[in-house]
Amino acid sequence: MSEREHPEAEFDHADAMQEQEPLSIDASEEEAATDADRVEHELEDLRSRLLRTTADYQNFVKRSQANQQAAVDQRVMSITRDLVAVIDHLDRALQLDAQTVSAEDVMKGIASVRGEFLRVLGRHGVEPVEPAAGEPFDPNLHEALMRAEAEGVASDHVVAVLQTGYRLGDKPIRPAGVSVAP
């Protein structure tokens, strides 16, 4: 059956439409305004938190940089204090009367100051690199200054150390200058 055959169905539908209350435009505008105010308040809160977080981060970066610089300054101060003690030994040696001191005593004094200097470097993590004859050549720690034949030394192995190298931990400061067997 179609709607024409049931005119009351059409009538009921029309009555239902008339019975509904019209939507209140004022209420929906108030809700929209309230929602907009709430969203605006949340947005301001988020902006405020973002600014505080950004400021906190910038302060953290500045503090970190200041702490890092303080640590570097402290390390330099510590090394400098230790080196000043070595200079004191050299100053005492220079005050000796050249007329009364033998060359042997001067050499002993120089060896003593060198030993003190190496102890100071060692306290700060610096170690000498002095490979033994016959040790394999390591380009990370050694610099080949020349090639030399040596009995009992295999090819590409250290023959002799020509200049001591130094490293800080596992990082080379200066490679050891060596002669290498061809």
Side-chain angles (χ1 to χ4, degrees), residues 14-47:
D15 284 342
M17 292 294 284
Q18 287 177 0
E19 289 176 12
Q20 287 183 350
E21 291 184 25
L23 291 175
S24 170
I25 295 175
D26 293 336
S28 64
E29 284 179 4
E30 284 179 21
E31 286 177 21
T34 302
D35 285 346
D37 288 343
R38 183 181 52 77
V39 168
E40 185 66 32
H41 179 70
E42 287 178 12
L43 182 60
E44 279 304 312
D45 182 50
L46 289 173
R47 282 184 186 139

Side-chain angles (χ1 to χ4, degrees), residues 129 137-143 167 170-176:
V129 176
F137 176 77
D138 181 352
N140 297 313
L141 297 174
H142 311 143
E143 179 181 8
R167 66 180 177 199
D170 61 346
K171 296 179 182 175
I173 295 171
R174 180 181 77 191

Side-chain angles (χ1 to χ4, degrees), residues 48-87:
S48 176
R49 286 202 268 163
L50 176 63
L51 289 174
R52 281 193 305 273
T53 301
T54 301
D56 287 346
Y57 176 73
Q58 289 172 345
N59 289 336
F60 168 76
V61 168
K62 288 176 185 175
R63 276 192 312 274
S64 295
Q65 289 171 341
N67 290 342
Q68 184 178 12
Q69 185 60 47
V72 167
D73 291 347
Q74 182 62 36
R75 180 80 175 160
V76 168
M77 183 67 79
S78 176
I79 292 169
T80 303
R81 254 189 237 110
D82 287 348
L83 291 176
V84 166
V86 174
I87 290 172

Side-chain angles (χ1 to χ4, degrees), residues 68-123:
Q68 184 178 12
Q69 185 60 47
V72 167
D73 291 347
Q74 182 62 36
R75 180 80 175 160
V76 168
M77 183 67 79
S78 176
I79 292 169
T80 303
R81 254 189 237 110
D82 287 348
L83 291 176
V84 166
V86 174
I87 290 172
D88 290 342
H89 292 300
L90 290 170
D91 287 342
R92 279 189 225 103
L94 290 172
Q95 292 172 355
L96 294 175
D97 183 7
Q99 301 299 325
T100 61
V101 177
S102 70
E104 185 179 326
D105 289 340
V106 170
M107 294 303 291
K108 285 180 185 176
I110 290 172
S112 175
V113 171
R114 182 181 187 279
E116 178 64 22
F117 192 68
L118 288 173
R119 281 188 292 280
V120 166
L121 290 176
R123 281 196 302 265

